[in-house]
DNA sequence: ATGCAGGACAGAT
DNA sequence: ATCTGTCCTGCA
C-alpha cells in the first residue's frame, strides 16, 4: 500500500514527540510497530524513497486463521489508522503558507520539511510516555518506555519476530514500584539485585509512583476515551489532575495522545525560543509562553511548537540560546 | 569524579 | 498567585 503525501518519516520518528518511542528499524530500514486493530493485531512496516510518499507493508500474527477475517476491510482499517497516526490528512502546504506570513518562521520550513505530528497508537502509552518525559531527556524516556513495553506488555508472534502490546492501565497499576517493594513481596526468596520486575528498574526514577497512581486512576475512575469527546479546556482541566502531569505534560498528552492541535506544550526550550524571537530575550513565565503560543497560532499551535523546536535545534539557535 | 539538565509538586511567601 | 528546593538518572 502507498500514501502519496508529503512526509519526512525519519524526522517525524526522531522528533521526540511523546506519543511513543520511535518505531523499531529492521535490516531493510523499515520502521516497524505493532498496531492493535479491531480485526486483528498487525505488524506495520513503513518505508519511503523520498518525502513525497510512504510505503506500507504489514504482517499478521503467526498461528492466525486467515479465513477468519476479511482482507479488504483489514487493509482499509490499517490505512485509516496510518493516516490518523501520521496525521496525513493535515494540509502541510497550507500550514507552510501560514508560516511564510511571519518572517521569523519562514526558515523553519526548510529545516522541518515534511515533519508531521506522530500521534499515539495507544492513548495510555502516550500518557505514561509524557509523564516519563517530564524533567527527562528524549533518549532516557524512550528507553524507559520500551522497557515497560516488553516487560509487561503481551507478546505477539509475527514472522519477522515478536512484538509487545503496551500494558493496560490495570496491568501497570499492579507492577511493583521499586526493587525493595518487589523484594519484600517475594519474601526475600531472591537477591534484591535480581529484582528488576519493577517500574524503577526501567530508569523512570521518582516518576514510578506517578505512573502507578495514574494507571490506577485509568483503571478505576477515568476512561481515556472520554477525553476525545471533550473540548480542549475541559480536557486540559481533566488531564492536569493526573499525578505527574503539569501544564507542559498535559499539553503533550492532549496534542500527541488525543490530537488537540490547539495545544502548545511550553517547555524550557520553547520558552527560550519564544523569548528570543518575540520578547527580546526577556525572561517570561511558561504560562505566558503558552498563552502567547495558543493566541498567535490557534489551531496551528501544536504544529508551530513542533516546527519551532526542531528549527531551533537544527539551525543552531538552541546552541546559541544555551550559551547565554 | 561532582555538577548539571530536565518539569511537577509541596510548602512557603 | 508566585517563588524555592527537592525529586532521579545519565551524561559531561
Amino acid at each position: 500500500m502507498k500514501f502519496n503525501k508529503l512526509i519526512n518519516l525519519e524526522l517525524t520518528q526522531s522528533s521526540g514527540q511523546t506519543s511513543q518511542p520511535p518505531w523499531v528499524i529492521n535490516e531493510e530500514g523499515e520502521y516497524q510497530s505493532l498496531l492493535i486493530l479491531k480485526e486483528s493485531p498487525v505488524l506495520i512496516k513503513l518505508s519511503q524513497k523520498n518525502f513525497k510518499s510512504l510505503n506500507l507493508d504489514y504482517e499478521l500474527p503467526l498461528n492466525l486463521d486467515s479465513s477468519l477475517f476479511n482482507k479488504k476491510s483489514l487493509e482499509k482499517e490499517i490505512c485509516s489508522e496510518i493516516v490518523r497516526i501520521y496525521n496525513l490528512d493535515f494540509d502541510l502546504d497550507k500550514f507552510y503558507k501560514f508560516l511564510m506570513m511571519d518572517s521569523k518562521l519562514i526558515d523553519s520550513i526548510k529545516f522541518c520539511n515534511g515533519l508531521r505530528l506522530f500521534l499515539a497508537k495507544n492513548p495510555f502509552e502516550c500518557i505514561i510516555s509524557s509523564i516519563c518525559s517530564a524533567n527527562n531527556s528524549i533518549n532516557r524516556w524512550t528507553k524507559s518506555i520500551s522497557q515497560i513495553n516488553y516487560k509487561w506488555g503481551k507478546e505477539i508472534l509475527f514472522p519477522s519476530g515478536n512484538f509487545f502490546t503496551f500494558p493496560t492501565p490495570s496491568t501497570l497499576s499492579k507492577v511493583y514500584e521499586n526493587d525493595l517493594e518487589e523484594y519484600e513481596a517475594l519474601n526475600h526468596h531472591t537477591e534484591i539485585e535480581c529484582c528488576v520486575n519493577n517500574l524503577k528498574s526501567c530508569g523512570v526514577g521518582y516518576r514510578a509512583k506517578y505512573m502507578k497512581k495514574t494507571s490506577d486512576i485509568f483503571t478505576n475512575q477515568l476512561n481515556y476515551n472520554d477525553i476525545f469527546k471533550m473540548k480542549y479546556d475541559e480536557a486540559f482541566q481533566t488531564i492536569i489532575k493526573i499525578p505527574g502531569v503539569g501544564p507542559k505534560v498535559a499539553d503533550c498528552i492532549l496534542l500527541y495522545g488525543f490530537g488537540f492541535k490547539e495545544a502548545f506544550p511550553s517547555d524550557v526550550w520553547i520558552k527560550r525560543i519564544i523569548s528570543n524571537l518575540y520578547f527580546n530575550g526577556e525572561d517570561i513565565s511558561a504560562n505566558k509562553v503558552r498563552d502567547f503560543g495558543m493566541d498567535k497560532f490557534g489551531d496551528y499551535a501544536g504544529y508551530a511548537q513542533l516546527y519551532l523546536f526542531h528549527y531551533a535545534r537544527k539551525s543552531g539557535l538552541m546552541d546559541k540560546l544555551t550559551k547565554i
Side-chain angles (χ1 to χ4, degrees):
Chain A
M1 285 174 269
K2 189 169 178 179
F3 304 88
N4 291 308
K5 300 281 185 176
L6 169 64
I7 178 170
N8 181 337
L9 181 61
E10 196 274 331
L11 178 59
T12 299
Q13 283 280 339
S14 64
S15 54
Q17 301 181 50
T18 65
S19 49
Q20 61 212 294
W23 291 8
V24 178
I25 303 177
N26 66 11
E27 304 80 38
E28 284 85 48
E30 297 167 310
Y31 288 86
Q32 299 178 306
S33 178
L34 166 63
L35 292 190
I36 303 296
L37 302 177
K38 269 170 254 144
E39 300 256 349
S40 164
V42 284
L43 177 62
I44 301 296
K45 302 169 164 205
L46 288 179
S47 61
Q48 64 180 171
K49 292 199 176 68
N50 58 57
F51 297 161
K52 288 178 185 148
S53 67
L54 199 56
N55 302 310
L56 184 152
D57 200 0
Y58 70 94
E59 284 178 17
L60 291 165
L62 293 164
N63 314 318
L64 186 86
D65 185 350
S66 55
S67 65
L68 286 177
F69 64 88
N70 177 325
K71 188 178 171 195
K72 271 253 164 63
S73 82
L74 175 73
E75 292 191 350
K76 206 176 149 194
E77 226 182 300
I78 291 173
C79 282
S80 68
E81 189 61 356
I82 293 302
V83 167
R84 186 191 67 77
I85 291 173
Y86 290 94
N87 202 217
L88 294 176
D89 282 342
F90 179 77
D91 189 341
L92 275 181
D93 290 327
K94 200 173 152 200
F95 173 57
Y96 293 163
K97 282 180 186 136
F98 171 82
L99 291 177
M100 283 187 262
M101 296 192 303
D102 184 336
S103 62
K104 292 173 176 175
L105 301 176
I106 290 176
D107 284 352
S108 73
I109 301 171
K110 67 169 181 285
F111 282 101
C112 305
N113 189 36
L115 175 59
R116 284 182 186 270
L117 278 179
F118 184 29
L119 295 178
K121 54 182 186 287
N122 170 350
F124 182 62
E125 178 180 23
C126 175
I127 292 164
I128 298 299
S129 296
S130 302
I131 289 172
C132 196
S133 75
N135 203 21
N136 209 339
S137 69
I138 295 173
N139 187 37
R140 194 145 70 84
W141 75 254
T142 55
K143 280 181 184 160
S144 294
I145 295 302
S146 301
Q147 287 187 54
I148 290 171
N149 201 334
Y150 78 66
K151 278 188 184 174
W152 301 294
K154 185 178 144 207
E155 188 173 21
I156 298 180
L157 282 53
F158 291 92
S160 290
N162 305 343
F163 287 76
F164 297 80
T165 63
F166 195 79
T168 62
S170 169
T171 300
L172 211 54
S173 70
K174 291 172 201 141
V175 166
Y176 301 121
E177 185 183 318
N178 54 43
D179 54 358
L180 195 62
E181 195 182 299
E182 184 182 349
Y183 182 65
E184 299 296 339
L186 297 175
N187 292 317
H188 309 190
H189 284 332
T190 178
E191 300 296 323
I192 191 159
E193 290 78 13
C194 302
C195 292
V196 292
N197 194 34
N198 60 80
L199 273 171
K200 243 186 148 177
S201 77
C202 301
V204 302
Y206 55 85
R207 302 162 195 84
K209 54 170 133 3
Y210 299 150
M211 292 179 180
K212 279 202 69 168
K213 281 186 193 166
T214 297
S215 301
D216 191 64
I217 289 169
F218 281 102
T219 306
N220 295 309
Q221 303 177 30
L222 211 63
N223 180 351
Y224 52 69
N225 288 315
D226 295 342
I227 307 281
F228 285 111
K229 300 170 201 153
M230 297 177 186
K231 293 252 191 286
Y232 170 82
D233 288 333
E234 187 189 0
F236 185 86
Q237 292 310 324
T238 305
I239 215 78
I240 203 168
K241 292 196 181 81
I242 300 296
V245 177
K248 150 67 163 63
V249 171
D251 276 329
C252 282
I253 292 172
L254 293 185
L255 177 59
Y256 304 124
F258 296 90
F260 286 89
K261 295 197 189 62
E262 63 269 57
F264 191 75
S266 302
D267 60 8
V268 287
W269 285 107
I270 291 302
K271 187 174 142 177
R272 285 169 190 157
I273 296 158
I274 292 292
S275 158
N276 180 263
L277 292 181
Y278 298 103
F279 291 87
N280 228 342
E282 165 197 347
D283 191 18
I284 40 179
S285 71
N287 230 314
K288 197 173 166 188
V289 173
R290 179 169 173 268
D291 290 346
F292 174 84
M294 291 183 76
D295 183 52
K296 180 169 171 63
F297 303 116
D299 285 343
Y300 283 141
Y303 265 96
Q305 192 265 12
L306 196 56
Y307 272 61
L308 278 171
F309 187 85
H310 291 282
Y311 163 55
R313 206 155 82 150
K314 290 183 164 192
S315 68
L317 178 59
M318 275 201 181
D319 298 334
K320 219 168 78 189
L321 296 180
T322 318
K323 288 183 186 98
I324 294 171

